[in-house]
């Protein structure tokens, strides 16, 4: 983080238009930018479509919409996620389905539709090996699906435990432990194998948790810390014991480390931890903020400080902020204003 001793700035590289309604979520393809392939990400919207964007530096516009995935979902597409191989894209919709798309020579085909949720599906996430997919929704449930040969999916578990709408599911980056966050103000930790999954921990207000809806969560690169964001206007950092987590049953309890309060005055909808340790947040006040660990005086344990705040990053709520998996310090934001913006966090 020494790079930022002299300060930094957020540079707007490009504004992407094309969606005709709010943009809810975006996901960078994890294998692009490797071996000289261009960066690719997907975005999804209230306009019922998913767009695939590709970095085309040789063109006048350095980002091009390569495909529009439409005529499949009949309502808002709320969430999208690439498989670790980058070959499959899962999209979760308010139409109660999750669609699986395969990239076949640049054409995206819907190869599977996952049905089971009673109503809106809010989020979708792949595990690290790409063998399991999790979905969650307004019906308060979390579903775990197993990828079978031929792009078939079998539901192996339906997890009941949240008392309200489940906003997001996220697999741990290196172990098959699943995290979900909800309108019931909690984060739940699920562990198991095959078809036997259970809630092993609930992070709620009694154990220094959030006091309002938890919108999103993200892990640091090593997977021993997690950041969560909420309607209670705070970010919270949680930690676990990595060694214990990777031994035996693969589950170690999480504990509250610190709370970042006083920085946001509207709901925080999105948070993402970069591979370099920079936390980005996107909120209802149209601003993007960046936080880093404060290395000064570790008397009371780690604290985090505001690195930069970008006011009016968008004209409306920021729903999603995501660091690129390929280019360090490149990130994209998605907003109710219908646009996606590509940014670079540059040191001065």
């Amino acid at each position: 983080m020494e790079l930022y001793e002299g300060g930094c700035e957020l540079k707007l590289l490009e504004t992407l238009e094309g969606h005709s309604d709010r943009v809810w979520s975006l996901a960078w393809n994890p294998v692009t930018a490797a071996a000289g392939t261009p960066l690719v990400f997907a975005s999804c919207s209230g306009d019922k479509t998913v767009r695939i964007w590709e970095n085309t530096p040789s063109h006048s516009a350095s980002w091009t919409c390569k495909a529009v995935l439409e005529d499949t979902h009949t309502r808002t597409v709320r969430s999208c996620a690439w498989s670790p191989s980058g070959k499959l894209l899962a999209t979760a919709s308010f139409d109660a389905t999750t669609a699986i798309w395969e990239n076949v020579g640049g054409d995206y085909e819907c190869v599977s539709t996952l049905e089971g949720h009673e109503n809106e599906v809010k989020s979708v996430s792949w595990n690290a090996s790409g063998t399991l997919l999790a979905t969650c929704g307004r019906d308060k449930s979390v579903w775990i699906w197993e990828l079978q040969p031929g792009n078939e999916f079998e539901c192996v578990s339906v997890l009941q435990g949240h008392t309200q709408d489940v906003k997001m599911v996220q697999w741990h980056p290196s172990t098959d432990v699943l995290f979900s966050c909800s309108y019931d103000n909690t984060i739940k930790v699920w562990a198991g194998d095959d078809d036997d999954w259970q809630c092993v921990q609930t992070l709620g207000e009694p154990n220094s948790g959030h006091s309002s809806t938890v919108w999103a969560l993200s892990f640091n690169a090593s997977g021993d810390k997690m950041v969560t964001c909420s309607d209670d206007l705070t970010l919270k950092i949680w930690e676990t014991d990595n060694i214990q987590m990777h031994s035996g049953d693969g589950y170690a309890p999480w504990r509250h480390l610190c709370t970042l309060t006083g920085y946001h005055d509207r709901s925080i909808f999105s948070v993402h931890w970069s591979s370099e340790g920079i936390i980005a947040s996107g909120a209802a006040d149209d601003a993007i903020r960046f936080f880093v660990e404060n290395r000064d005086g570790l008397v009371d344990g780690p604290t985090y400080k505001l690195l930069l705040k970008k006011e009016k990053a968008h004209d409306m709520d920021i729903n999603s902020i995501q660091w690129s998996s390929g280019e360090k310090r490149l990130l994209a934001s998605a907003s109710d204003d219908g646009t996606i913006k590509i940014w670079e966090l540059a040191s001065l």
Side-chain angles (χ1 to χ4, degrees):
M1 299 320 311
E2 297 74 33
L3 293 157
Y4 296 109
E5 293 309 316
C8 57
E9 62 173 332
L10 188 63
K11 288 183 181 166
L12 177 63
L13 302 182
E14 198 152 348
T15 301
L16 306 178
E17 296 179 343
H19 283 297
S20 58
D21 200 330
R22 65 183 62 180
V23 189
W24 275 113
S25 178
L26 49 90
W28 293 88
N29 186 307
V31 297
T32 58
T37 57
L39 287 165
V40 169
F41 71 88
S43 61
C44 58
S45 165
D47 67 11
K48 309 172 193 171
T49 73
V50 177
R51 284 177 174 258
I52 309 294
W53 306 86
E54 186 176 295
N55 189 211
T56 46
S58 52
H59 294 57
S60 55
S62 56
W63 289 88
T64 310
C65 179
K66 284 293 184 182
V68 180
L69 284 43
E70 53 192 348
D71 303 327
T72 295
H73 289 300
T74 57
R75 291 185 60 197
T76 289
V77 187
R78 182 65 176 83
S79 171
C80 54
W82 297 94
S83 63
S85 68
K87 291 184 169 61
L88 298 176
L89 177 69
T91 58
S93 170
F94 285 4
D95 67 13
T97 72
T98 301
I100 308 295
W101 306 80
E102 185 176 18
N103 180 359
V104 185
D107 288 326
Y108 288 82
E109 297 173 12
C110 181
V111 293
S112 198
T113 304
L114 281 46
E115 298 178 350
H117 282 285
E118 290 172 27
N119 41 41
E120 292 92 330
V121 189
K122 296 292 181 80
S123 174
V124 60
S125 174
W126 297 86
N127 71 338
S129 60
T131 54
L132 297 171
L133 188 73
T135 59
C136 66
R138 191 161 73 88
D139 62 9
K140 309 174 192 171
S141 70
V142 173
W143 291 52
I144 296 178
W145 310 79
E146 189 172 31
L147 176 58
Q148 311 281 340
N151 292 327
E152 295 288 318
F153 286 81
E154 182 193 356
C155 174
V156 292
S157 200
V158 177
L159 309 176
Q160 308 282 1
H162 283 295
T163 57
Q164 298 285 346
D165 184 356
V166 189
K167 298 296 187 186
M168 185 184 194
V169 278
Q170 186 70 45
W171 289 95
H172 185 268
S174 58
T175 63
D176 283 343
V177 175
L178 180 64
F179 295 72
S180 57
C181 54
S182 168
Y183 188 60
D184 68 13
N185 309 350
T186 71
I187 300 120
K188 285 188 179 287
V189 189
W190 310 86
D193 50 42
D194 301 330
D195 54 1
D196 183 28
W197 289 80
Q198 45 225 317
C199 179
V200 291
Q201 192 176 8
T202 299
L203 304 174
E205 224 175 335
N207 41 11
S208 307
H210 291 288
S211 59
S212 191
T213 301
V214 188
W215 283 102
L217 63 99
S218 179
F219 296 94
N220 66 347
S222 57
D224 63 347
K225 288 192 177 74
M226 168 175 70
V227 59
T228 55
C229 66
S230 169
D231 263 352
D232 68 11
L233 314 184
T234 71
L235 297 176
K236 286 180 183 283
I237 312 282
W238 309 80
E239 69 172 354
T240 189
D241 181 330
N242 237 350
I243 297 158
Q244 188 185 343
M245 183 171 57
H246 285 95
S247 67
D249 59 4
Y251 170 70
W254 289 76
R255 67 177 191 92
H256 174 262
L257 187 63
C258 62
T259 298
L260 283 66
T261 184
Y263 297 106
H264 298 83
D265 43 27
R266 299 280 302 278
S267 293
I268 311 159
F269 294 130
S270 183
V271 65
H272 197 211
W273 210 322
S274 81
S275 58
E276 292 187 297
I278 307 168
I279 297 169
S281 72
D285 64 359
D286 318 338
I288 298 172
R289 292 170 181 79
F290 298 92
F291 300 89
V292 289
E293 194 170 327
N294 191 354
R295 300 284 181 187
D296 319 331
L298 292 174
V299 186
D300 304 320
T303 56
Y304 289 76
K305 62 181 178 185
L306 181 70
L307 179 68
L308 180 72
K309 177 183 177 184
K310 179 71 173 180
E311 303 258 16
K312 291 287 162 208
H314 280 272
D315 295 334
M316 295 170 76
D317 292 7
I318 297 170
N319 296 315
S320 182
I321 182 121
Q322 293 288 316
W323 293 97
S324 156
S325 41
E327 285 286 316
K328 281 182 179 170
R329 301 198 195 97
L330 190 72
L331 67 157
S333 57
S335 168
D336 277 2
D337 65 17
T339 70
I340 298 145
K341 293 188 179 184
I342 310 292
W343 309 87
E344 181 190 8
L345 185 62
S347 42
L348 294 172

